[in-house]
């Protein structure tokens, strides 16, 4: 079977250990960063652009300072897209959209949905804008959060994102299933 169908990304936010990052990079796997500090640290430790994925919110406040060609970036909001689209096109970034899925939950209180990612309407508009601008759109992303999920949560999220992509007539090269698998309480 093909082993390139699944790609694991080290979450530097949850594993901020430089020796682990160096080891992970040596294995040719990718690193996901969600802040400027993480981005700068990964680059300082030798992370090549092809092994770097910029995720997380509020990147419109800092990512514009780093016009790296072919960077992988997921837009979490329309505001990020507005601020970074010209740079993304100019630098040939490989981009994606974070879709808010219904099962995303606040880690502190599962009664509340998560606040990140784009609505269906925002996703459709953003994908259209990216395409019209000539952006290299490669992926969609969702994040369920760090709370415990019932076994069908990831399946429902993938189906939801697939319906959104169908509505946009977009076939992503990658589907990024964000969020960790939290430890079961003992």
């Amino acid at each position: 079977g093909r082993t390139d169908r699944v790609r694991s990304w080290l979450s530097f936010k949850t594993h901020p250990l430089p020796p682990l990052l160096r080891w992970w990079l040596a294995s040719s796997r990718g690193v996901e960063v969600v802040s400027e500090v993480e981005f700068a640290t990964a680059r300082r430790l030798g992370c090549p652009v092809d092994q770097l994925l910029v995720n997380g919110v509020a990147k419109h406040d800092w990512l514009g300072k780093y016009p790296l060609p072919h960077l992988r970036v997921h837009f979490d909001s329309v505001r990020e897209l507005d601020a970074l689209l010209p740079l993304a096109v100019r630098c040939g970034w490989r981009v994606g959209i974070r879709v808010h899925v219904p099962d995303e939950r606040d880690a502190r209180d599962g009664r509340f949905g998560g606040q990140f990612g784009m609505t269906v309407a925002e996703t459709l508009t953003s994908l259209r804008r990216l395409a019209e601008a000539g952006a290299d759109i490669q992926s969609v992303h969702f994040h369920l959060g760090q709370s415990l999920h019932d076994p069908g949560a990831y399946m429902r999220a993938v189906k939801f994102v697939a319906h959104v992509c169908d509505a946009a007539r977009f076939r992503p090269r990658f589907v990024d299933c964000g969020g960790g698998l939290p430890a079961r309480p003992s």
Side-chain angles (χ1 to χ4, degrees):
R2 290 177 49 139
T3 58
D4 62 345
R5 293 188 185 267
V6 175
R7 187 168 184 182
S8 297
W9 296 85
L10 176 70
S11 168
F12 198 47
K13 174 184 179 179
T14 55
H15 301 91
L17 306 166
L20 175 60
L21 184 132
R22 282 190 202 97
W23 175 82
W24 192 265
L25 291 173
S27 72
S28 299
R29 291 179 281 184
V31 175
E32 175 196 46
V33 298
V34 297
S35 72
E36 184 175 13
V37 169
E38 293 172 26
F39 177 88
T41 301
R43 293 292 293 161
R44 184 175 46 79
L45 293 173
C47 183
V49 168
D50 196 49
Q51 286 177 253
L52 188 61
L53 169 62
V54 183
N55 248 334
V57 299
K59 68 184 76 62
H60 59 283
D61 286 337
W62 61 269
L63 190 55
K65 296 186 277 185
Y66 303 96
L68 295 173
H70 309 295
L71 190 61
R72 292 181 195 278
V73 178
H74 288 156
F75 294 111
D76 285 74
S77 69
V78 173
R79 187 172 180 187
E80 285 183 1
L81 184 66
D82 289 342
L84 295 170
L85 179 56
L87 183 60
V89 171
R90 189 169 63 249
C91 291
W93 288 355
R94 296 167 289 183
V95 300
I97 296 289
R98 180 175 177 176
V99 181
H100 179 83
V101 293
D103 279 318
E104 182 183 348
R105 288 287 174 251
D106 185 296
R108 293 170 299 260
D109 191 337
R111 295 176 297 167
F112 301 102
Q115 70 271 33
F116 303 117
M118 296 188 198
T119 66
V120 172
E122 290 170 334
T123 299
L124 297 175
T125 299
S126 295
L127 287 170
R128 181 184 47 74
R129 286 182 60 204
L130 285 163
E132 288 172 355
D136 184 3
I137 316 165
Q138 294 192 353
S139 53
V140 291
H141 169 69
F142 68 85
H143 196 293
L144 289 175
Q146 298 297 321
S147 60
L148 287 175
H149 304 286
D150 70 84
Y154 277 95
M155 181 70 74
R156 286 188 301 274
V158 169
K159 285 181 179 180
F160 183 85
V161 169
H163 289 302
V164 173
C165 289
D166 285 345
R169 294 184 175 97
F170 171 58
R171 297 287 175 253
R173 184 173 172 197
F174 304 105
V175 177
D176 183 343
C177 304
L181 300 174
R184 296 247 180 234
S186 47

